[in-house]
């Protein structure tokens, strides 16, 4: 294909043929970008590239030299190929070698920790490393910073998500990968194990009160770097029966997933049966967030955020993050809210934040 006009931002979208990658590619084109659609399968990439009129780069993640060569002349990679715990590090290494910014849409705790592990290298290379530029963790990270700024010296932070709709195959594979690791919370600045299903509570979201359970979201890492608050718990809204059943069934589920045959069967079922929400669901469903920061002297602040369905949000947020990184070029390992501010989420259409209540 002919090269795009010099005025059109040109960067690499790796994992472009996946469910979320396609949505990001379409959104990027709508916003005037000309990303190079990359991945390991020409067969999967070519139809999308022909539909959108974009370039294709075929390279596997095991080929680091090939990745570096492919990145020549490209300032940035948006990595959308999961499970990220398997795929992120090779691309990070390629970006460090090529001097290209690295962004991804992960929600996996080990990936966030690894990204921050490379902070000094990224600063030395003059590039940005930013994991979690989608539904997890852009909205929660921005809401965490918003409430933290209203309670200087806060020592506790709670974040809760209520999301509707089904997961994509990529999200389901990532969840399957992380499930055996169990629950986590942050206490005294350190990640600590937490029994799955323990700590149920009721949270008032903007539209309804729901039962939530502690779930190990990526915000346990990102909110710590964004706010410095040492005690963080992240929750997800679940039907009360499901939340209670999680505590009872998790030990058995963990043992089952330790068996290779069981895990591989689950992965095949995900690939064959999990499709992700359709266009109608993406346009109609909404997500709801709540955050509270508390200080030892009793000061506290709460805030609420309503936003579009998660995958629709991710497509726009990821491209907006690309735009901000190319414009601002923040150095080193970053979180979205630390780099762009608490109001970054409000630049995504359909996001509404409720003011702090006394």
């Amino acid at each position: 294909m002919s090269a795009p006009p010099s005025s059109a931002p040109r960067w690499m979208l790796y994992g472009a043929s996946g469910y979320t990658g396609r949505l990001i590619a379409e959104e990027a084109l709508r916003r005037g970008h000309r990303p190079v659609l990359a991945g390991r399968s020409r067969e999967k990439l070519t139809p999308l590239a022909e539909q959108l009129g974009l370039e294709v780069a075929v390279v596997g993640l095991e080929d680091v030299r090939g990745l570096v060569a492919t990145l020549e002349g490209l300032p940035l990679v948006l990595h959308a190929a999961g499970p990220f715990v398997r795929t992120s590090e090779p691309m990070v290494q390629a970006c460090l070698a090529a001097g290209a910014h690295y962004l991804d849409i992960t929600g996996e705790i080990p990936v966030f920790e690894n990204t921050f592990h490379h902070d000094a290298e990224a600063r030395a290379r003059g590039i940005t490393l930013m994991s979690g530029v989608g539904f997890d963790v852009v909205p929660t990270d921005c809401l965490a910073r918003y409430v933290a700024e209203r309670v200087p010296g806060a020592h506790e932070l709670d974040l809760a998500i209520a999301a509707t709709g089904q997961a994509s195959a990529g999200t389901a594979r990532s969840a399957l990968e992380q499930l055996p690791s169990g629950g986590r919370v942050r206490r005294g600045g350190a990640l600590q194990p937490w029994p799955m299903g323990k700590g149920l509570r009721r949270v008032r979201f903007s539209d309804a009160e729901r039962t939530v359970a502690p779930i190990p979201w990526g915000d346990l890492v990102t909110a710590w770097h964004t706010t410095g608050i040492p005690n963080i718990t992240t929750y997800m809204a679940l039907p009360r029966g499901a939340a209670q059943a999680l505590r009872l069934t998790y030990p058995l589920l963990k043992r089952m997933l330790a068996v290779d045959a069981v895990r591989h069967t689950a992965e095949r079922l995900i690939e064959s049966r999990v499709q992700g929400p359709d266009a109608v669901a993406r346009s109609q469903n909404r997500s709801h967030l709540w955050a509270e920061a508390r200080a030892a002297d009793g000061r506290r602040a709460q805030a609420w955020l309503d936003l579009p369905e998660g995958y629709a949000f991710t497509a726009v947020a990821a491209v907006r993050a690309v735009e901000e990184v190319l414009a601002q070029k923040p150095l080193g390992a970053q979180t979205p809210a630390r780099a762009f501010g608490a109001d970054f989420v409000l630049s995504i259409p359909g996001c509404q934040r409720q003011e702090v209540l006394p």
Side-chain angles (χ1 to χ4, degrees):
M1 292 185 181
S2 60
S6 59
S7 60
R10 186 171 173 269
W11 39 273
M12 178 189 288
L13 173 58
Y14 195 91
S17 63
Y19 176 85
T20 309
R22 287 172 176 266
L23 297 178
I24 293 172
E26 292 167 357
E27 179 63 25
L29 195 63
R30 278 193 292 269
R31 296 184 68 85
H33 296 249
R34 303 289 296 177
V36 175
L37 306 184
R40 66 175 185 265
S41 172
R42 184 176 298 277
E43 181 182 3
K44 293 181 179 179
L45 288 168
T46 298
L48 180 64
E50 291 179 347
Q51 175 189 341
L52 301 181
L54 297 173
E55 299 173 76
V56 164
V58 179
V59 59
L61 291 168
E62 72 285 350
D63 182 8
V64 176
R65 288 186 178 181
L67 286 172
V68 174
T70 304
L71 282 170
E72 184 176 356
L74 297 175
L76 179 148
V77 172
L78 176 53
H79 187 56
F84 296 89
V85 71
R86 300 181 191 174
T87 67
S88 173
E89 176 64 7
M91 187 61 81
V92 167
Q93 289 296 337
C95 287
L96 288 168
H101 304 297
Y102 169 90
L103 287 74
D104 69 39
I105 55 171
T106 191
E108 301 162 41
I109 286 175
V111 178
F112 289 108
E113 291 188 298
N114 185 64
T115 299
F116 280 99
H117 176 74
H118 292 293
D119 176 59
E121 298 168 80
R123 290 178 183 275
R125 295 289 291 158
I127 65 171
T128 303
L129 302 179
M130 185 179 294
S131 289
V133 298
F135 179 73
D136 193 17
V137 296
V138 167
T140 38
D141 195 42
C142 289
L143 203 60
R145 178 167 178 174
Y146 183 74
V147 294
E149 288 177 343
R150 280 146 184 79
V151 188
H155 75 301
E156 291 183 326
L157 174 66
D158 291 341
L159 298 166
I161 295 174
T164 58
Q166 64 193 91
S168 71
T171 301
R173 286 198 306 271
S174 293
L176 186 69
E177 188 85 23
Q178 296 303 303
L179 195 58
S181 300
R184 293 287 188 274
V185 295
R186 188 172 288 275
R187 296 292 183 265
L191 288 174
Q192 297 183 3
W194 186 265
M196 294 290 281
K198 178 184 176 183
L200 304 185
R201 59 178 291 187
R202 299 286 287 177
V203 164
R204 168 62 66 179
F205 293 89
S206 62
D207 65 329
E209 187 175 271
R210 296 179 173 89
T211 297
V212 299
I215 296 291
W217 288 98
D219 302 273
L220 292 174
V221 179
T222 53
W224 161 245
H225 285 279
T226 297
T227 70
I229 296 176
N231 302 297
I232 303 172
T233 307
T234 54
Y235 297 88
M236 173 181 274
L238 297 171
R240 187 169 185 85
Q244 292 172 334
L246 180 63
R247 186 172 187 177
L248 297 174
T249 61
Y250 177 74
L252 174 61
L253 185 59
K254 181 177 180 179
R255 289 196 297 271
M256 291 175 63
L257 290 175
V259 179
D260 288 345
V262 173
R263 188 174 64 256
H264 293 158
T265 298
E267 290 173 349
R268 288 194 295 271
L269 287 172
I270 288 171
E271 283 297 323
S272 63
R273 299 186 181 182
V274 178
Q275 302 298 322
D278 60 21
V280 174
R282 292 196 304 270
S283 66
Q284 294 181 352
N285 290 343
R286 300 282 294 174
S287 301
H288 307 278
L289 276 64
W290 166 84
E292 182 178 67
R294 298 183 295 276
D297 60 7
R299 290 175 298 120
R300 63 178 59 204
Q302 295 184 81
W304 294 260
L305 186 66
D306 298 334
L307 59 149
E309 184 274 339
Y311 293 100
F313 176 92
T314 293
V316 181
V319 180
R320 283 286 297 113
V322 167
E323 293 169 349
E324 291 299 322
V325 167
L326 292 177
Q328 299 185 29
K329 300 178 176 61
L331 289 180
Q334 296 282 347
T335 71
R338 192 170 74 173
F340 310 142
D343 290 346
F344 172 64
V345 68
L346 301 182
S347 72
I348 287 84
C351 294
Q352 298 177 329
R353 186 179 62 209
Q354 292 190 19
E355 296 300 321
V356 177
L357 300 180

